[in-house]
């Protein structure tokens, strides 16, 4: 396969300016991740130590095979919610290797509010189990949660994708034959009690682990019965009397050792036999991506320069290189896996939309997973383009992206605005994974334009009320609207709301995609079939 | 969670992972490239970090005897489920509970008597089936909850052994 000829001038002032800018963004991302992972109030850590409990990341490290990669998802969930007091939404989620098997881990973080489930914690667990269902990944649950955060119960309990969905997803996984192993390392109360009960295998730690629908205080209030934690839902009771849990463990390490033994005897998954070749490092240094992404999101850049620094050997077979040039399509390998890439190189015109819809069907027909690299301001507008049917051509892309059976993975590299987000496999189109880069923005239209529209409406309202505004007054209306719009369209807000599966340092993208593609191959791929394309 | 081994009463932990076409040994959080080619007679060629060693290896259950560089080592593998279990765990329970409802047909021991692990303490009958209740560890009988001819329900305590003092574990 041909190597991309990079046009990047790594000696230029422009390259160095961009590199400085993007390295700072990456450093900032790493620092935010470090804080979300490790900064905890001392009293919470002391409390866990007194209880002989490990911290959640120590548990995960003990569970994983040493020296194997762990792809953590949504590390910065809830970073802009709950006054920033619930880092990671109190949940750690990620894909790793346990006893040689690819699994997805859901772990409650008891160092955050006792592991209480906030609305975004529930969303993160549900998303973790959605990933397990879509990719047929066995699940290991590390249970240590105080239960739902009561003051927010209205936002976490009743709706379709709220708390009940966790248990529904567990039941569906079981029905699909995808096993789950729960390790009960703390209390599993109320709804949380169903997590081990709905797992095929459950290990419970003597002394600290407990499972019950209602804890001792609730039982006392409800029926007057005085009962200890151990009698009500301890390891001995559940493993010898109720049969709610399967294995009693003497301590956390023992429990993790038993769980590793259980995972080690699970049936090895037959993976989808995707075309694979020996991996080759990119010919161009991936860290040069820092010098590719402009400092201003409005500036265009050639996405081929990103592809060249992400795929094996920087080799790319470009499809229709001269047609619909604002959408770059083609085949490449990533960690040896064959992928079809769709990458934005400008506004989508009629020809680019047709090319995209066509190429997606080609990938689906040849059973090649699709990788979407988004930097999209939208579809071209105007009379000429409407007459040529830009709306129905965009609809073709949506028909293709929605109907495709092959796995889709999306990386939002810079802008993701309006309908472009749809046609390029945004969150609503069920890509198996969706990641963002730190500078990227996502919103229904570009920040500046939207803020201008909102500000103009306000100014006109005031004008109708008879007020005449000076330029300074108009600016003072516009600025806060712009600031708020910018915040709500930032990658950090998106990841806080779990609209994505995490923010990646651009340089780590290749490795993250390798783990992600490998995970997708656990699920079978259906026969291609589609709805009706409006011609 | 790494594998653990005992060599000459010292505990070691290590992990072997794949690395490209070969293997990597992780010791003290440091990955070291290793390879091992074994002939049928136990003679092996071991490469650690590029250095060649000739070794003879004999496997005997969980113990591997290795002759390497003029010295002999016995390496015992400890399964992590054993390594992390409390050593006194199996013996920490002090009470034998009735596995099913029934009647005592014989009581072979008295209160205060010292018993060895495996010694028959009681014989019970239930559903036309005789079952011996045996000492699950060495110890002293603290309480005999039932005597010959007594009936009992499922999960009723039958015998209590005196608790093991911390120093005895």
């Amino acid at each position: 396969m041909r190597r991309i000829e990079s046009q990047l001038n790594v000696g230029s002032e422009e390259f160095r300016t961009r590199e400085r800018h993007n390295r700072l963004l990456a450093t900032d991302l790493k620092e935010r991740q470090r804080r979300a992972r490790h900064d905890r109030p001392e009293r919470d850590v002391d409390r866990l130590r007194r209880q002989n409990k490990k911290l959640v990341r120590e548990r995960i490290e003990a569970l994983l095979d040493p020296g194997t990669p762990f792809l953590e998802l949504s590390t910065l969930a809830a970073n802009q919610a709950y006054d920033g007091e619930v880092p990671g939404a109190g949940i750690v989620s990620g894909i790793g290797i346990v006893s040689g098997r690819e699994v997805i881990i859901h772990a409650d973080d008891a160092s955050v509010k006792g592991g209480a489930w906030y609305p975004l914690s529930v969303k993160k667990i549900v998303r973790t189990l959605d990933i397990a269902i879509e990719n047929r990944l066995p699940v290991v649950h590390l249970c240590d949660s105080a239960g739902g955060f009561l003051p927010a119960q209205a936002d976490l309990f009743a709706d379709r994708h709220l708390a009940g969905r966790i248990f529904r997803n567990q039941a569906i996984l079981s029905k699909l034959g995808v096993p789950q192993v729960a390790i009960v390392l703390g209390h599993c109360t109320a709804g949380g009690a169903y997590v081990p009960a709905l797992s095929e295998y459950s290990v419970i730690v003597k002394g600290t682990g407990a499972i019950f629908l209602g804890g001792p205080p609730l039982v006392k209030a409800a029926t007057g019965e005085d009962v200890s934690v151990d009698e009500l839902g301890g390891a001995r009771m559940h493993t010898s009397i109720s049969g709610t849990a399967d294995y009693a463990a003497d301590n956390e390490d023992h429990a993790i050792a038993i769980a590793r033994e259980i995972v080690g005897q699970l049936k090895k998954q037959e993976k989808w036999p995707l075309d694979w070749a020996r991996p080759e490092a990119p010919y161009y240094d991936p860290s040069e991506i820092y010098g590719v992404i402009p400092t201003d999101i409005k500036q265009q850049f050639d996405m081929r320069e990103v592809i060249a620094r992400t795929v094996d050997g920087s080799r790319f077979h470009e499809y229709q290189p001269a047609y619909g040039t604002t959408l770059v399509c083609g085949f490449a390998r990533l960690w040896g896996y064959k992928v079809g890439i769709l990458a934005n190189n400008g506004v989508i015109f009629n020809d680019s939309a047709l090319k995209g819809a066509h190429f997606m069907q080609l990938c689906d027909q040849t059973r090649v997973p699709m990788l979407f690299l988004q930097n999209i301001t939208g579809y071209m507008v105007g009379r000429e383009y409407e007459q040529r049917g830009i709306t129905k051509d965009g609809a073709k892309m949506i028909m293709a992206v929605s109907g495709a059976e092959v796995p889709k993975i999306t990386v939002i590299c810079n802008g993701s605005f309006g309908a472009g987000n749809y046609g390029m496999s945004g969150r609503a189109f069920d890509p198996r994974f969706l990641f963002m880069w730190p500078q990227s923005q996502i919103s229904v239209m570009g920040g500046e334009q939207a803020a201008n529209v909102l500000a103009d409406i306000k100014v006109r309202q005031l004008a109708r009320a008879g007020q005449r505004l000076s330029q300074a007054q108009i600016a003072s209306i516009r600025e806060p609207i712009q600031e708020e719009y910018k915040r709500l369209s930032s990658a950090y807000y998106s990841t806080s709301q779990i609209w994505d599966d995490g923010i990646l340092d651009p340089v780590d993208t290749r490795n993250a995609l390798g783990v992600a593609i490998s995970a997708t191959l656990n699920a079978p791929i259906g026969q291609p079939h589609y709805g009706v394309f409006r011609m | 969670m790494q594998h653990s081994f005992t060599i000459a009463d010292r505990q070691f932990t290590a992990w072997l992972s794949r690395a490209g076409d070969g293997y990597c040994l992780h010791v003290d959080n440091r990955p070291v490239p290793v390879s091992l080619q074994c002939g049928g007679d136990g003679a092996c060629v071991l490469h650690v970090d590029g250095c060649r060693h000739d070794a003879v290896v004999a496997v005997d259950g969980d113990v591997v005897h290795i002759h390497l560089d003029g010295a002999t080592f016995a390496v015992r593998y400890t399964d992590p489920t054993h390594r992390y279990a409390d050593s006194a765990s199996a013996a920490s329970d002090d009470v034998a509970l009735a596995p099913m409802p029934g009647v005592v047909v014989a009581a072979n021991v008295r209160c205060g008597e010292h018993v060895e692990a495996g010694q028959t303490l009681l014989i019970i009958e239930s559903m036309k089936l005789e079952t011996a209740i045996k000492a699950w560890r060495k110890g002293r009988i603290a309480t005999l909850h039932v005597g010959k001819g007594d009936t009992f329900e499922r999960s009723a305590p039958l015998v209590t052994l005196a608790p093991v003092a911390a120093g005895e574990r």
Side-chain angles (χ1 to χ4, degrees), chain A residues 139-160:
Chain A
V139 184
V140 180
H141 301 274
L142 300 177
C143 308
D144 191 353
S145 165
F149 179 65
L150 272 181
Q153 69 84 22
D155 296 321
L156 65 79
F157 176 62
D159 204 2
R160 184 169 175 217

Side-chain angles (χ1 to χ4, degrees), chain B residues 41-45 54-58 64-69 71-73:
Chain B
D41 55 355
C44 301
V45 178
D54 291 301
V56 180
V57 174
V64 180
H65 299 277
I66 300 169
H67 188 81
L68 180 80
D69 296 337
T72 306
F73 304 91

Side-chain angles (χ1 to χ4, degrees), chain A residues 24-223:
Chain A
L24 275 178
L25 292 178
T27 308
D28 176 49
L29 168 68
K30 295 270 160 75
E31 170 57 17
R32 289 179 194 230
Q33 287 178 333
R34 190 199 60 73
R35 286 203 302 262
R37 285 175 180 144
H38 301 296
D39 281 6
R40 295 290 182 275
E42 209 174 303
R43 66 188 153 79
D44 287 321
V45 175
D46 289 346
R47 174 175 49 82
L48 294 178
R49 296 290 182 222
R50 273 201 308 278
Q51 296 172 341
N52 280 328
K53 285 182 175 180
K54 288 176 185 289
L55 299 180
V56 65
R57 286 168 198 280
E58 297 167 340
R59 289 169 174 170
I60 291 174
E61 196 192 333
L63 178 67
L64 294 168
D65 289 357
T68 56
F70 177 63
L71 175 60
E72 187 179 340
L73 304 170
S74 296
T75 310
L76 295 174
N79 77 86
Q80 304 203 2
Y82 322 123
D83 299 324
E85 284 181 4
V86 190
I91 303 290
V92 182
S93 158
I95 295 172
I97 311 286
V98 175
S99 300
R101 270 80 171 165
E102 238 166 24
V103 302
I104 191 160
I105 295 169
H106 143 227
D108 300 323
D109 186 348
S111 71
V112 178
K113 311 278 177 190
W117 287 353
Y118 282 68
L120 285 169
S121 322
V122 169
K123 191 171 184 183
K124 189 163 169 181
I125 301 171
V126 169
R127 173 63 191 153
T128 303
L129 298 179
D130 280 343
I131 292 172
I133 290 173
E134 289 172 1
N135 301 289
R136 304 287 200 274
L137 284 174
V139 184
V140 180
H141 301 274
L142 300 177
C143 308
D144 191 353
S145 165
F149 179 65
L150 272 181
Q153 69 84 22
D155 296 321
L156 65 79
F157 176 62
D159 204 2
R160 184 169 175 217
H161 288 106
L162 300 185
R165 197 73 177 186
I166 297 172
F167 315 119
R168 176 268 182 192
N169 277 358
Q170 285 195 270
I172 296 298
L173 276 168
S174 185
K175 183 176 163 179
L176 288 169
V178 181
Q180 297 167 74
V181 180
I183 313 178
V184 180
L185 301 147
H187 289 189
C188 291
T189 317
Y194 288 118
V195 173
L198 287 163
S199 296
E200 276 72 22
Y201 303 87
S202 60
V203 185
I204 179 168
V205 179
K206 291 179 195 163
T208 46
I211 307 169
F212 26 57
L213 278 188
L218 191 133
V219 170
K220 174 78 178 162
T223 65

Side-chain angles (χ1 to χ4, degrees), chain A residues 61-68 99 206 236 240-241 250-258 260-261 278, chain B residues 1-3 15-17 20-21 26 29 79-82 84-87 89-90 92-93 97 154-155:
Chain A
E61 196 192 333
L63 178 67
L64 294 168
D65 289 357
T68 56
S99 300
K206 291 179 195 163
R236 187 206 296 262
S240 66
I241 299 176
D250 293 331
N251 51 61
E252 294 206 358
D253 279 319
H254 190 215
I256 290 167
I258 294 170
R260 285 181 48 80
E261 190 174 284
R278 180 168 295 274
Chain B
M1 185 167 283
Q2 298 204 327
H3 292 301
W15 183 262
L16 191 67
S17 71
D21 291 331
H26 298 255
N29 288 322
D79 192 277
T81 54
H82 286 147
Y84 292 110
D86 294 344
S87 51
S89 154
S92 65
D93 297 343
L97 303 178
R154 183 182 169 187
S155 298

Side-chain angles (χ1 to χ4, degrees), chain A residues 129-457:
Chain A
L129 298 179
D130 280 343
I131 292 172
I133 290 173
E134 289 172 1
N135 301 289
R136 304 287 200 274
L137 284 174
V139 184
V140 180
H141 301 274
L142 300 177
C143 308
D144 191 353
S145 165
F149 179 65
L150 272 181
Q153 69 84 22
D155 296 321
L156 65 79
F157 176 62
D159 204 2
R160 184 169 175 217
H161 288 106
L162 300 185
R165 197 73 177 186
I166 297 172
F167 315 119
R168 176 268 182 192
N169 277 358
Q170 285 195 270
I172 296 298
L173 276 168
S174 185
K175 183 176 163 179
L176 288 169
V178 181
Q180 297 167 74
V181 180
I183 313 178
V184 180
L185 301 147
H187 289 189
C188 291
T189 317
Y194 288 118
V195 173
L198 287 163
S199 296
E200 276 72 22
Y201 303 87
S202 60
V203 185
I204 179 168
V205 179
K206 291 179 195 163
T208 46
I211 307 169
F212 26 57
L213 278 188
L218 191 133
V219 170
K220 174 78 178 162
T223 65
E225 188 184 5
D226 267 312
V227 61
S228 74
V229 165
D230 249 8
E231 288 171 305
L232 189 64
R236 187 206 296 262
M237 196 288 278
H238 277 312
T239 55
S240 66
I241 299 176
S242 79
T244 304
D246 306 317
Y247 309 83
D250 293 331
N251 51 61
E252 294 206 358
D253 279 319
H254 190 215
I256 290 167
I258 294 170
R260 285 181 48 80
E261 190 174 284
I262 294 166
V263 175
Q265 58 79 50
L266 296 177
K267 184 167 159 260
K268 275 216 169 172
Q269 195 83 17
E270 287 284 325
K271 286 201 167 189
W272 178 265
L274 178 63
D275 184 348
W276 187 85
R278 180 168 295 274
E280 192 184 350
Y283 174 79
Y284 297 104
D285 183 353
S287 72
E288 289 169 4
I289 295 178
Y290 291 134
V292 173
I293 311 301
T295 54
D296 182 347
I297 197 164
K298 281 190 298 195
Q299 284 172 354
Q300 185 62 38
F301 63 95
D302 188 351
M303 197 66 97
R304 286 185 199 84
E305 301 291 357
V306 171
I307 297 172
R309 286 158 184 84
T310 306
V311 303
D312 288 12
S314 306
R315 296 176 196 285
F316 186 54
H317 171 84
E318 191 168 345
Y319 180 71
Q320 295 187 333
Y323 181 75
T325 51
T326 56
L327 185 66
V328 176
C329 297
F331 296 104
R333 292 189 183 276
L334 218 152
W335 280 108
Y337 299 112
K338 191 169 181 194
V339 289
I341 297 176
L342 294 95
N344 299 119
N345 244 9
V347 176
I348 300 181
F349 294 95
N350 299 76
D351 54 358
S352 357
L354 292 174
K355 176 180 172 182
H358 182 106
F359 185 72
M360 284 188 236
Q361 291 176 71
L362 201 57
C363 289
D364 207 20
Q365 180 108 98
T366 50
R367 331 322 304 283
V368 174
M370 295 192 279
L371 172 63
F372 293 84
L373 300 177
Q374 284 197 16
N375 178 27
I376 177 66
T377 50
Y379 290 85
M380 194 64 210
V381 296
R383 182 163 61 188
E384 185 190 341
Y385 301 98
E386 293 293 355
Q387 284 184 356
R388 288 191 199 163
I390 188 72
T391 307
K392 70 174 186 178
D393 289 345
K396 288 188 189 82
M397 274 182 86
I398 289 179
M399 194 60 79
V401 76
S402 308
E405 292 286 332
V406 292
K408 304 179 290 247
I409 298 175
T410 305
V411 181
I412 298 180
C413 300
N414 219 23
S416 179
F417 299 113
N421 167 284
Y422 304 156
M424 289 294 291
S425 190
R427 187 64 147 184
F429 297 84
D430 288 344
R432 301 282 185 90
F433 296 93
L434 187 150
F435 301 107
M436 296 192 95
W437 283 359
Q439 182 175 249
S440 55
Q441 291 177 19
I442 178 165
S443 58
V444 72
M445 58 196 284
E448 231 165 272
Q449 302 90 308
N452 283 342
V453 170
L454 288 169
D456 287 345
I457 292 171

Side-chain angles (χ1 to χ4, degrees), chain B residues 8-40:
Chain B
D9 293 333
R10 269 189 66 197
Q11 282 247 327
F12 295 87
T13 58
W15 183 262
L16 191 67
S17 71
R18 271 177 51 185
D21 291 331
Y23 289 91
C24 227
L25 190 68
H26 298 255
V27 185
D28 300 332
N29 288 322
R30 198 168 66 89
V32 183
V34 292
S35 76
L36 182 70
Q37 284 98 35
C38 283

